[in-house]
Amino acid sequence: MGNQMDRLSHLSYAEVPTVDPNGADAEDGPRIGVSYIFSNDDDELEDGCAADGSERDPNQEEKHYDRRDEVECAVYNRDECIYEKSAKCASLEVYSPENLLNKCKAGDLVEFVATGQYPHWAVYVGDFQVVHLHRAEVKNSFLTDAGQGRRCRVVNELYKFKALGADVVVQNAMEQVGLKERELSWRNSECFAAWCRFGKREFKMGGEIRIGKQPYRLKILVSDKHAHVLEFQSLEDMIMEKRRNDHLGRAAVLQELGKREQHSSSSCW
């Protein structure tokens, strides 16, 4: 394992067995075990590329963003909620990079978002600059350049872990600048930025052993009364799936889950 893992392999919802023998959880709906066998996020699709891998014009105007297409979800480590994103979160409002500069403080986590793209995370280190993992290299960039036309927001409150002091967060980020490829310990920009702020080894590649029970649950909120639950052996595996859902968007994720439900129903006959 370590830093030299190959491309990930991920089973679709229709291909993974349900955890519950009956295929359903009485409270939250279907529970599905998901396993990422190898690592490496689709970082090449994260910035500057379309979903099909074609190059985006770096000079194109602000990319499209629709708040309604965000996937609402919560993450639990056993019974503890460690992450939550819902329409009720006031912090999800987005701004242009220029306007966000007035709201940032050193040590803040910044998320750049656009419809149909993986979210890109960065650590604000002061002086209008961020440190971020971009195309297999940790870089120091101006906040206005890092987003490549995307809207952005401060997302300190999404993860519920206790944050390190701002000076430590900035130090964590700055000390990694220049690392690239096999020197890296993170699978994507979110894992890197979150590690800088919270210092938890679980955000690193191989930070947890994927053996036995699946202590992490990703609850995808379908409605106020219904959710799909996916189970994972590690935090980084869960983040990979959460990011994949963000890339697909709410409509596509709900369609995929609907097909999974139909597959389960047909299998029962």
Side-chain angles (χ1 to χ4, degrees):
M1 298 183 73
N3 297 347
Q4 303 181 31
M5 289 184 173
D6 297 321
R7 200 92 180 133
L8 71 86
S9 175
H10 171 238
L11 300 176
S12 70
Y13 295 148
E15 297 173 311
V16 239
T18 54
V19 175
D20 184 273
N22 299 318
D25 180 90
E27 180 180 353
D28 296 312
R31 299 166 67 89
I32 305 168
V34 178
S35 178
Y36 285 88
I37 302 171
F38 302 107
S39 91
N40 277 355
D41 195 5
D42 292 327
D43 274 324
E44 72 276 11
L45 300 184
E46 228 183 50
D47 300 296
C49 293
D52 60 2
S54 60
E55 288 292 324
R56 291 185 184 271
D57 180 359
N59 298 316
Q60 90 176 52
E61 296 183 0
E62 183 175 299
K63 295 176 172 62
H64 174 69
Y65 166 76
D66 187 346
R67 173 72 181 85
R68 297 170 298 179
D69 206 37
E70 291 212 46
V71 178
E72 297 181 69
C73 64
V75 177
Y76 292 84
N77 181 6
R78 296 182 172 85
D79 295 327
E80 179 186 3
C81 181
I82 61 172
Y83 175 100
E84 185 175 15
K85 182 172 72 171
S86 72
K88 300 175 183 178
C89 299
S91 60
L92 293 183
E93 183 178 355
V94 297
Y95 305 88
S96 67
E98 293 78 10
N99 289 335
L100 192 72
L101 282 172
N102 298 323
K103 303 177 183 296
C104 281
K105 302 184 298 294
D108 282 348
L109 296 185
V110 176
E111 181 186 42
F112 298 93
V113 292
T115 298
Q117 291 191 35
Y118 288 92
H120 187 68
W121 286 50
V123 179
Y124 186 72
V125 294
D127 296 327
F128 314 117
Q129 298 178 61
V130 295
V131 171
H132 57 134
L133 176 56
H134 174 77
R135 294 190 179 181
E137 182 178 354
V138 179
K139 300 178 181 180
N140 189 186
S141 309
F142 285 108
L143 186 146
T144 49
D145 295 333
Q148 297 190 334
R150 283 174 283 195
R151 306 282 282 176
C152 51
R153 59 195 174 201
V154 174
V155 289
N156 295 337
E157 308 303 324
L158 290 184
Y159 283 100
K160 308 302 180 183
F161 303 123
K162 182 178 179 180
L164 303 172
D167 55 339
V168 178
V169 177
V170 171
Q171 180 179 345
N172 283 344
M174 294 299 296
E175 286 181 347
Q176 316 311 316
V177 173
L179 293 183
K180 59 178 63 176
E181 299 177 349
R182 293 189 176 183
E183 299 172 316
L184 297 172
S185 298
W186 309 271
R187 298 206 294 191
N188 51 61
S189 61
E190 180 173 340
C191 284
F192 169 72
W195 173 82
C196 289
R197 183 168 174 85
F198 303 109
K200 297 183 73 66
R201 67 180 184 182
E202 290 87 346
F203 287 108
K204 288 188 170 185
M205 287 190 286
E208 294 175 280
I209 299 176
R210 298 178 181 84
I211 297 177
K213 296 182 179 179
Q214 296 175 307
Y216 294 94
R217 290 180 292 133
L218 171 62
K219 295 180 65 174
I220 301 172
L221 308 181
V222 177
S223 66
D224 291 339
K225 297 182 179 180
H226 185 56
H228 278 264
V229 180
L230 311 179
E231 298 191 338
F232 300 86
Q233 290 178 320
S234 71
L235 180 61
E236 58 172 350
D237 282 352
M238 184 283 303
I239 291 173
M240 291 287 288
E241 180 62 19
K242 181 175 67 65
R243 291 171 60 77
R244 188 185 77 91
N245 290 339
D246 288 335
H247 174 236
L248 290 174
R250 179 178 173 81
V253 169
L254 295 186
Q255 182 180 27
E256 187 177 89
L257 291 172
K259 290 181 179 178
R260 199 271 163 211
E261 278 191 325
Q262 291 177 359
H263 177 83
S264 295
S265 298
S266 62
S267 299
C268 293
W269 290 96

